[in-house]
Amino acid sequence: QVQLVESGGGLVQAGGSLRLSCAASGLTFSSNIMGWFRQAPGKEREFVAYINRSGAFKYYTDSVKDRFTISRDNAKNTVYLQMNSLKPEDTAVYYCAAGQTPLSERRAANYWGQGTQVTVSS
C-alpha cells in the first residue's frame, strides 16, 4: 500500500515562509516523478510544481516559480516544497502526488497524499 504523508502546513502571515514535506512509502520513490498541487475553497485542484526522478529538472506554475522551490531526497523518500514570500492567494490545501509522466496535470498522478492546510493571512 502506497502512502504519501504531507506535513509542515500551518498559519503564516503574508511575506512569511513555510516548508512542506511529503514522506513516501510503499513505492520505489526514486522511480517516481513527484509533484505538488493545491486546492483552494471553491476552486479546482491546480498544479504547483514537479520534480523529475533524479531531481535535475524542476517545473513550476508561473505564479510561484520565483517564490517556491521543490526538492527531493531519494535517500529519505521525501519531497519538499519551500515556500517563500507567501501571499494570501497561496492559501489552499497542498497535496503531494506521485506519477510516471510529467505531473503538470492532476490526471497524471497515480497516488495522492491526504493534504496539508496552508493559510496565509494579510
Side-chain angles (χ1 to χ4, degrees):
Q1 59 279 33
V2 173
Q3 288 188 307
L4 303 176
V5 181
E6 301 96 333
S7 61
L11 303 174
V12 65
Q13 294 184 11
S17 298
L18 286 173
R19 188 177 76 157
L20 307 183
S21 298
C22 172
S25 61
L27 79 170
T28 303
F29 184 78
S30 62
S31 73
N32 278 265
I33 299 167
M34 302 298 298
W36 290 93
F37 292 74
R38 65 187 182 186
Q39 187 167 21
K43 295 185 177 181
E44 295 185 352
R45 192 171 302 184
E46 68 172 351
F47 166 75
V48 176
Y50 78 80
I51 186 168
N52 77 336
R53 296 174 177 90
S54 69
F57 177 81
K58 305 171 184 180
Y59 183 72
Y60 304 87
T61 192
D62 284 347
S63 63
V64 310
K65 65 171 51 178
D66 294 323
R67 300 184 295 119
F68 292 9
T69 302
I70 189 170
S71 61
R72 68 191 294 163
D73 187 339
N74 285 349
K76 296 182 177 179
N77 288 358
T78 302
V79 63
Y80 305 93
L81 186 68
Q82 178 67 47
M83 305 185 294
N84 298 325
S85 301
L86 283 162
K87 304 174 181 179
E89 51 262 46
D90 295 317
T91 295
V93 177
Y94 283 70
Y95 296 91
C96 176
Q100 297 298 313
T101 58
L103 278 172
S104 56
E105 297 181 355
R106 186 175 64 177
R107 64 178 179 173
N110 293 328
Y111 304 103
W112 293 96
Q114 81 289 346
T116 185
Q117 177 72 49
V118 172
T119 302
V120 184
S121 63
S122 60

